[in-house]
Amino acid sequence: MEKFQTFTGIVAPLDRANVDTDAIIPKQFLKSIKRSGFGVNLFDEWRYLDHGEPDMDVSKRQINPDFVLNQKRYQGTQILLARDNFGCGSSREHAPWALQDYGFKVIIAPSFADIFFNNCFKIGLLPITLDHSLMDRLFNAVNEVEGYVLTVDLQTQTLTTPAGERFTFVVDTFRKHCLINGLDEIGLTLQHAGKIKQFEQKRRAEQPWLFS
Amino acid sequence: MQKTLYDKLWDQHVVHAESDEANGMVLLYIDRHLVHEVTSPQAFESLKMAGRKPWRIDSILAVADHNVPTTDRAHGISDPISRLQVDTLDQNCAALGITEFKMSDQRQGIVHVIGPEQGATLPGMTVVCGDSHTSTHGAFGCLAFGIGTSEVEHVLATQCLVTQKSKSMRIAVEGELGLGVTAKDIALAIIGEIGTAGGTGYAIEFAGSAIEALSMEGRMTLCNMAIEAGARAGMVAVDETTISYIKGRPFAPQGELWSQAVKYWRTLHSDPGAAFDRTLVINAADIKPQVTWGTSPEMVTTIDGFVPNPAEVSDAVKRQDMEKALQYMGLEPGVPIQSISIDKVFIGSCTNSRIEDLRAAAQVVDGKHVASSVKLALVVPGSGLVKHQAEREGLDKIFLAAGFEWREPGCSMCLAMNDDRLNRGERCASTSNRNFEGRQGPGGRTHLVSPAMAAAAAIAGRFVDVRTMN
Ligand code: SF4
């Protein structure tokens, strides 16, 4: 995993609640056995007017000019603003893969679906939860100011606006540690291999039917 | 201290707890790992690239379900991309010695149907799968939840997950359900009440006399939909219904081990007076057959209800979502649900494709015929064994005589990764769990209902109250 570093990025607003992972990356793209290349199909149903299938030549597709990410002012965006319950539905990790592959590093929403939230951390994408009133202010600011940016500093857990205003956000210590240092979680867990073996032996003795 | 069922299951599986600073992150031991073709290829590949091997092969059970055709399988899968994904699973399982039910195996089916059917899901276990509807297995008094592909790899490599405990919620459904009202209606009614984010951050225990009266199939339907309420896990305490369902299943313990297991399983319930972070009580008698009208499972009403009017909603975000949903669904506010006509019917998915679901649907259609306006009515059993059982009971004949198609098991039109799908603008009465935009095919319009309600809609060509059908 890449280390998460402080950056300043363009913010794009996706003003709807309950955005599900089917919308983030539709199922026809889940047939891939690879981990990369999902970015061009991020929000496929909303982003294009024609129906997308894997292996299509994207340059020939009909762009939906009304969809927010297709607007010129949001090109190169790295921070997505969203509404409540972002990432609900299917557990597909393809959703965070697609967001990351598109270029997003941070998603900010008032609330996230559990599995999606979790999946983001596993790949180095940072989901940030802010309260509703702050979210409303950010949505307004992004709509008003073209090229609106935020600076994300995970170390100090702050978002800084162009005017220098700072908001703090909460993040779990362990996850923060993994993100900042780009740690491989499996490697970390295997440091406890002895403990896992011991636990397993005890379990085998107490509940042998689980091991037959 | 009085413990909830969730506390008991959790405590049994904590291998290691990080210090306080880590906000309650623990290493949780996983007993059963179910694997399907869509969310596993990248995990197997990373594992191999890192030079790692699965920790405990015998904890894994694999099956291809999402991409498989539901029509004749003699010629394999025609879509080359789908085929590659299924072949990749076959190869990974063969190379590592993982038990897999292949497409030609009668035991093949939807992963959440076959786990319990085989007795591979047992009370007291932790069960994970790279699939959100893993919550289904909680019906057996186990802790079951969906994980992402990175976590699939993590469990393969370490038999553990790095995770945090959720808050606990108890939803009690008390009293008796009305005739024609099912577990699916309970699930939709609960989601209608608490919303699709109402369970976020919680593990839900379903309890109360109406839940105790449910069969294991019904409990699975309910726990299956816990994820649609935002909860990561749903669960039901172990009782005689649970134990008698498991007895004699191929992966279930036998003889001395069986008695030993049952003794432990009987402790898997919340202690009287155990504290929950949130509780909710619902009166079973108040629940009517449910039909969704929008593009989120919380956009639901009763069969005698009407499509709601966004103009009456004060919250701006919510109003906008409703407007978008109605536009997508091609519905006007104020329209009676019973006047909405349908193009297709889908009876299947991990929510409602078990024998009891098929029996309920067959009972409604017996001796009748699908309306001529309905283009396609599909029955897709959850597994080869469910299909076989249904055929032994003659249910296939009832469906076929009524004009339904009788298919091979798989996910099918629940998410339309194979050839079964809605065309743009088509409206479907579906027993699946998600009515998201495009879920059953791009531009397709899904209304979630119970199997009996889907069957009734097939006959009438529109939504009707199954309670008024004879
Ligand atoms: S039936 Fe539908 S919800 Fe269930 S596992 Fe298959 S695709 Fe997922």
Side-chain angles (χ1 to χ4, degrees), chain A residues 27 30 34 93 173 189 200, chain B residues 21 29 42 150 415 438-439:
Chain A
K27 69 216 142 218
L30 268 51
K34 296 199 291 272
E93 198 165 304
T173 327
T189 299
E200 207 165 46
Chain B
E21 266 181 88
Y29 186 82
Q42 294 88 350
S150 294
L415 97 165
R439 173 81 178 178

Side-chain angles (χ1 to χ4, degrees), chain B residues 14-138:
Chain B
V14 175
V15 174
H16 170 78
E18 292 289 335
S19 62
D20 278 357
E21 266 181 88
N23 294 3
M25 280 287 174
V26 305
L27 266 187
L28 197 74
Y29 186 82
I30 303 303
D31 295 309
R32 174 67 69 204
H33 189 183
L34 302 167
V35 168
H36 69 67
E37 81 276 22
V38 181
T39 53
S40 66
Q42 294 88 350
F44 281 118
E45 192 184 322
S46 300
L47 190 75
K48 196 163 134 192
M49 275 164 51
R52 291 175 176 138
K53 286 250 154 30
W55 181 280
R56 210 184 118 203
I57 297 281
D58 69 347
S59 69
I60 311 170
L61 178 61
V63 72
D65 53 5
H66 285 62
N67 278 282
V68 300
T70 56
T71 45
D72 182 18
R73 291 182 177 168
H75 306 291
I77 304 174
S78 58
D79 174 3
I81 314 178
S82 287
R83 190 169 61 231
L84 176 64
Q85 204 164 54
V86 174
D87 287 349
T88 305
L89 179 68
D90 290 352
Q91 284 158 14
N92 283 325
C93 291
L96 296 167
I98 292 170
T99 307
E100 184 200 5
F101 296 163
K102 295 213 175 141
M103 212 166 74
S104 53
D105 191 319
Q106 198 184 31
R107 297 169 298 175
Q108 182 268 344
I110 304 170
V111 67
H112 309 308
V113 174
I114 67 160
E117 185 173 76
Q118 291 295 323
T121 300
L122 296 173
M125 277 183 163
T126 39
V127 180
V128 296
C129 174
D131 194 284
S132 56
H133 291 100
T134 310
S135 59
T136 311
H137 306 262

Side-chain angles (χ1 to χ4, degrees), chain A residues 17 22 27 30-31 34-35 46 51 89-91 93 114 118-119 172-173 189 195 199-200 203 210, chain B residues 13 16 21 29 31 42 55-56 79 85 149-151 154 164 201 321 415 417 434 437-439 442:
Chain A
D22 279 72
K27 69 216 142 218
L30 268 51
K31 293 180 183 179
K34 296 199 291 272
R35 214 179 250 264
W46 295 338
H51 172 67
S90 148
S91 62
E93 198 165 304
D114 281 342
N118 213 24
N119 284 343
D172 186 279
T173 327
T189 299
K195 240 179 153 171
F199 180 92
E200 207 165 46
R203 202 159 171 69
L210 293 174
Chain B
H13 291 89
H16 170 78
E21 266 181 88
Y29 186 82
D31 295 309
Q42 294 88 350
W55 181 280
R56 210 184 118 203
D79 174 3
Q85 204 164 54
T149 298
S150 294
E151 291 178 312
H154 195 280
Q164 260 166 324
D321 280 348
L415 97 165
M417 262 182 97
R434 289 188 175 138
E437 283 186 19
R439 173 81 178 178

Side-chain angles (χ1 to χ4, degrees), chain A residues 8-70:
Chain A
T8 302
I10 295 177
V11 185
L14 184 65
D15 201 354
R16 48 198 294 172
N18 297 314
V19 171
D20 57 76
T21 53
D22 279 72
I24 298 174
I25 182 86
K27 69 216 142 218
Q28 62 269 34
F29 306 107
L30 268 51
K31 293 180 183 179
S32 168
I33 56 169
K34 296 199 291 272
R35 214 179 250 264
S36 56
F38 294 102
V40 291
N41 302 111
L42 175 72
F43 300 122
D44 200 273
E45 284 266 314
W46 295 338
R47 207 161 128 204
Y48 303 100
L49 293 168
D50 55 351
H51 172 67
E53 283 294 333
D55 294 335
M56 262 171 117
D57 180 353
V58 181
S59 64
K60 299 210 174 84
R61 295 192 59 189
Q62 279 174 278
I63 305 287
N64 175 5
D66 295 335
F67 184 60
V68 55
L69 295 186
N70 289 332

Side-chain angles (χ1 to χ4, degrees), chain A residues 29-134:
Chain A
F29 306 107
L30 268 51
K31 293 180 183 179
S32 168
I33 56 169
K34 296 199 291 272
R35 214 179 250 264
S36 56
F38 294 102
V40 291
N41 302 111
L42 175 72
F43 300 122
D44 200 273
E45 284 266 314
W46 295 338
R47 207 161 128 204
Y48 303 100
L49 293 168
D50 55 351
H51 172 67
E53 283 294 333
D55 294 335
M56 262 171 117
D57 180 353
V58 181
S59 64
K60 299 210 174 84
R61 295 192 59 189
Q62 279 174 278
I63 305 287
N64 175 5
D66 295 335
F67 184 60
V68 55
L69 295 186
N70 289 332
Q71 292 167 24
K72 213 165 143 226
R73 60 191 285 185
Y74 300 120
Q75 297 317 298
T77 175
Q78 293 176 294
I79 302 171
L80 187 69
L81 287 192
R83 295 289 187 184
D84 266 310
N85 202 25
F86 188 81
C88 59
S90 148
S91 62
R92 61 188 69 161
E93 198 165 304
H94 310 67
W97 291 339
L99 287 159
Q100 192 175 56
D101 195 48
Y102 182 87
F104 286 113
K105 291 184 171 160
V106 170
I107 319 288
I108 310 176
S111 63
F112 292 90
D114 281 342
I115 303 180
F116 176 85
F117 188 75
N118 213 24
N119 284 343
C120 286
F121 283 103
K122 309 282 173 186
I123 65 162
L125 185 66
L126 176 64
I128 295 177
T129 313
L130 292 182
D131 67 33
H132 288 98
S133 61
L134 262 183

